Amino acid sequence: MLWTFTLLLFCIRLSLGMTSMAMESQAELWIESNYPQAPWENITLWCRSPSQMSKKFLLLKDKTHMTWVHLSQKTFQMSFFLGALTESNAGRYRCCYWKEKGWSKPSKILELEAPGQLPKPILWIQAETPPLPGCNVNILCHGWLQDLVFMLFKEGFAEPVDYQVPTGTVAVFSIDHMTPEKEGVYICRTHIQMLPTVWSEPSNPLKLVVAGLYPKPTLTAYPGPIMAPGESLNLRCQGPIYGITFALMKLEDLEKSFYHKKPIKNEAYFLFPNLNIQDSGHYICFYYDGSYRGSLFSDILKIWVTDKPPKPTLSAWPRTVFKRGKAITIQCRVSHPVLEFSLEWKEKATFHKFSVDGDFIITNVEGKGTGTYSCSYRVETHPNIWSHRSEPLKLMGPAGVLTWDYILNEALKLSIIIQLAALLLVLLWIRYKWRRFRIREAWFLGTAQVFTMLFIVAALLCCALSLTGLCNGVLTEQTEIIVPTPKPELWAETNFPLAPWKNLTLWCRSPSGSTKEFVLLKDGTGWIATRPASEKVRAAFPLGALSQSHTGSYHCHSWEEMAVSEPSEALELVGTDILPKPVISASPPIRGQELQIRCKGWLAGMEFALYKEGEQEPVQQLGAVGREAFFTIQRMEEKKEGNYSCRTHTATLPFKWSEPSEPLELVIKEMYPKPFFKTWASPVVPLGDRVTFNCSAPHQHMSFILYKDGSEVASSDRAWANPGASEAQFFIISVGIGDGGNYSCRYYDFDIWSEPSDIVELVVTEFFPKPTLLAQPGPVVLPGKNVTLRCQGTLKDMRFALLQEGTQVPLQFKSASGSSVDFLLHTLREEDSGNYSCIYYETTMSNRGSYFSMPLMIWVTDVFPKPWLFAEPSSVVPMGQNVTLWCQGPVRGVGYILRKEGEATSKQLWEFTSNDGAFPITNITSASTGHYSCCYHPDWTSPIKIPPSNTLELIVTGLLPKPSLIAQPGPMVAPGENMTLQCQGELPDSTFVLLKEGIHAPIKLQRPRGYRADFWMPVVRGEDSGIYSCVYYLDTALFVASNHSDSLEIWVTDKPPKPSLSAWPNTVFKLGKDITLQCRGPLPGVEFVLEHDGEEAPQLFSEDGDFVINNVEGKGIGNYSCSYRLQASPDIWSEPSDPLELVGAAGPAAQECTVGNIVRSTLIVVVVVALGVVLAIEWKKWPRLRTRGSETDGRDQTIVLEECNQEGEPGTTTNSPSSTSQGILVEVPAPM
């Protein structure tokens, strides 16, 4: 078996302050011999207990032979003498020792091979700090002998990545700072220092992967996190991935509380049947897949096992001091679900408030809200037990009329002025003293440096606090659903039958399209190699000529980015004269029904034979049908029961036979009827969709199992079902690439099983191009007739499915050797009308399918409506432009005919992809104008007569002068009023056409006697609003029209649409600068008015919409809006614009700096106090300095030394500070 580990399991303890995950109870086994002189002559195996002494030790060989020793006194280790290594004592050894209540965990397996070869080492990992990605990993290689040379190899590298020569039997290889680049497959080998040609076999492969790649799960407690001693508790760990293993840990005791659990769907339950006080603590969970890639940890869940719940926390928002007219919200909080909260008031014993969410609103009317509060709660599992009370919280009344914000803002302004003044005074004082006294003492320089650093630190802190809170972000965690890979297929290829064993290659193929690489294993643990996946999702492992070293059992895995598959079926190579042993399987036999027995071989071109125990001759034989064969028992009865096996043999003489397969027992058992199995939605789904399988049984209290392609993938235990449940649901939260396949379910009760359910084919779409779906003879069908739907794909050897809109299950399935298939619909009725579509998919790659075809409308009717003809973009087209005439029928897939009045010929079109036919006319001229109509036919041979469409007049413009268009009484009217649009042309005896933007056909036509047409629009409505234009053409030259008039926009509304309001250059006043507000509307000829909040009537009017605003005495700040009225309708005003706020230079954010002001003010006060202290100290020193200055001769030839002791010649007096204070001065000559 391939050993793969993940850093997660070994870094868990370290991330929580632990040191190791190793089981201390496991025994240790090693070898001692006459190394290196005669390493195989005198062998002794030693077994040692790592933690405790024992009297009993047990040595096991190949799981069958046991040797045990019972000692009179306890010891830590025991020896087992083997003597010289021979074929008889070679094998696999393990040992264990007796503990107080049973045998310990066996040691690691020691494989002793034939003499001349070192034992195969064992490779595993041990993690160090820190955890997860970036974790330091120690790889341990156990070589069984001392003083060997250990080599560590990584797949893909010819040279070893590291080597060690340890003094013991174990070498430690360190990989620092584990990253994805250091992932890979590692092995180790050993050799003797004196004999470098004597090597061991490669160790087991060790694949290192970085953990923490999956999203964290959620951990919840049922019935709740607070329980009483003796009660039962379920901890539910739920992750987003289907079919993974969950683990639960208690942080206070990781050594004894590490639980593993197989999932139910995508979750696992950890049961604590009888709680005690020691079960209280903090729990976390995680999950990992088959390759031990693990998730992040869940959030910590605290469990209390107590008779009384713990106390909650109590806080006040926004603060604990009432403001005038404002309320305070008291928030009572705990970290687990609560049934109800209770609030108590110390000053009033009868006061009680209850809340579900823990929020209590307290008002301070007449000062009655102040006082001390506390809260408690109760949980749903124990509704009669209230928790401990929270810590008390005191609410206080308002501070007075002056608010803290006002006081702190004023204090900030004053403190800044004081700080600047103090800084200026200090600088002047330093300058004065420097010039007056030329003081050069060290304390002065130190004082100056302290002041400088204080101001720098204060400035930096103020800047940092100003930036606090500017960047607030929201992290959105996205979750990705990953489904484990299905098991691959393994087979052999060779030059059979010419040289069958000269060039043998094993192939591994995955049904998942996202497979990245394959690994081949021998005898469960012997690693062969890994290969990357090809485009056909398979990989070849060439073995060459078959020899004795190649014999054994092989299987392969497929690896994706974040999952590893189950192993393939085992392929056994037994020698050059015997073919590999086949594998036999069958579904449970059902009385009276057909049964298929599958025999899977490993080479192509073989023949198959089925045998029954007790009969010499084969029951059935099949010819060369590929690598597998299916034997059919037509009707299963008692006489057909028994043990069956199958064999394969070559197709030509002399036959070469395989070994018989493992026996398959067929026994008819009493069974429940098959369950009803379905999906809640359609089984044809795209990637990422959710799929729910529902398996229901006619009996209650059953356990259910879900199968995919014959293999069990999930189960539902009745212990977790609702009482009386007779169904189970299986979820795939997000369908992945490998989730497609054939699903079924069964249910059972103890030893009685049900029959398998009907198969549901789950198809995952959007992998291949969409097919086309056609109806023959056509999509319009008379009732009682048949129609054939042909689905044409792009790939061969696919399976097709036909679907109808509104039905969940596909109507028909068909497999085809070509790229198309025909679905026959018999004797259609009117209710069979609807949209049909089809897909195709491959059955060998997890039912990966194509996109859906375009829907095809099948219309079953004997009544046919006439089509509709329209022009796009309009039936009035400028000269030289293009136009398309559309004939719209009821369904797609019919034939269309376009006719023009006065022409004998017509245009025909058969449209398969839409329900309308397009007839384009390019570079239109006067010859293209006229009356058009169209019709459609279900098929060209149908005798059905369908009436023609409406008549369309196609008009070409640009040949006459353009008219003018005006509205009376104006372009804007109220709903319900009348309006007249006047189109004025330049030629008499013309036909006028009124057009509206967005409508293909003319609105109205009129033939007046003069030069003008009046289009009267009575009782207009809102939908009459729009952009209008008109053209005209002469009666003597029909459909040859003028240019379009200028566009005219018509508004039908009680209130004109609101204008927009903007500010230039911006909305913030600068000192001495004005702001221009710009009001813009959609209509011309209007008057604008500007309104300012706080003023009763607007005072600013403008015809161009520009208003200049100044901020004299702060009167320009506030919210503005504008509106307008038409000059033709002065009584109708538009809706006001959206408000626009003008602010001062500081903006409204200056009022939200209370916290920053407090901190800044505190810093300023500290700096000012420090300055005052320093000034006071210096002021006290001034009289002394003046005294010393008066005793000098006024020349700068001496320096007064007060605090520095000078070392002179012998006999020289040294002046101390005390002597200086008594007036004794020492003058030292100083050069000019």
Side-chain angles (χ1 to χ4, degrees), residues 772-776 788-792 820-823 838 856:
T772 56
L773 186 62
L774 305 176
Q776 296 176 352
T788 300
L789 303 184
R790 169 163 290 183
C791 187
Q792 178 70 51
S820 65
V821 72
D822 292 338
F823 297 101
C838 71
L856 173 64

Side-chain angles (χ1 to χ4, degrees), residues 8 11-13 15-16 132 216-220 235-238 246-254 257-260 270 272 281-287 295-303:
L8 174 66
C11 291
I12 287 173
R13 295 179 169 275
S15 64
L16 301 173
L132 303 175
K216 67 180 180 180
T218 57
L219 183 62
T220 51
L235 296 185
R236 174 193 180 208
C237 187
Q238 184 179 34
F246 289 85
L248 177 73
M249 297 180 298
K250 180 182 175 184
L251 301 185
E252 288 80 4
D253 189 11
L254 289 177
S257 61
F258 194 86
Y259 311 98
H260 295 269
F270 299 89
F272 294 81
H282 299 79
Y283 289 82
I284 60 172
C285 74
F286 66 96
Y287 57 90
S295 70
L296 298 171
F297 296 124
S298 68
D299 294 331
I300 296 176
L301 175 65
K302 187 172 183 181
I303 300 298

Side-chain angles (χ1 to χ4, degrees), residues 788-865:
T788 300
L789 303 184
R790 169 163 290 183
C791 187
Q792 178 70 51
T794 58
L795 301 174
K796 294 183 179 181
D797 299 325
M798 292 286 172
R799 186 168 171 82
F800 291 78
L802 179 67
L803 304 98
Q804 183 181 8
E805 184 179 335
T807 59
Q808 294 184 357
V809 182
L811 300 180
Q812 297 182 32
F813 290 96
K814 274 193 177 182
S815 299
S817 58
S819 59
S820 65
V821 72
D822 292 338
F823 297 101
L824 179 62
L825 301 181
H826 293 275
T827 316
L828 295 180
R829 298 173 295 176
E830 291 187 2
E831 50 266 29
D832 294 323
S833 299
N835 287 317
Y836 290 78
S837 60
C838 71
I839 60 166
Y840 60 92
Y841 58 96
E842 55 182 356
T843 57
T844 58
M845 294 290 287
S846 298
N847 288 6
R848 296 192 309 175
S850 65
Y851 285 84
F852 286 90
S853 67
M854 289 288 294
L856 173 64
M857 176 67 184
I858 298 298
W859 193 20
V860 184
T861 181
D862 52 4
V863 178
F864 302 95

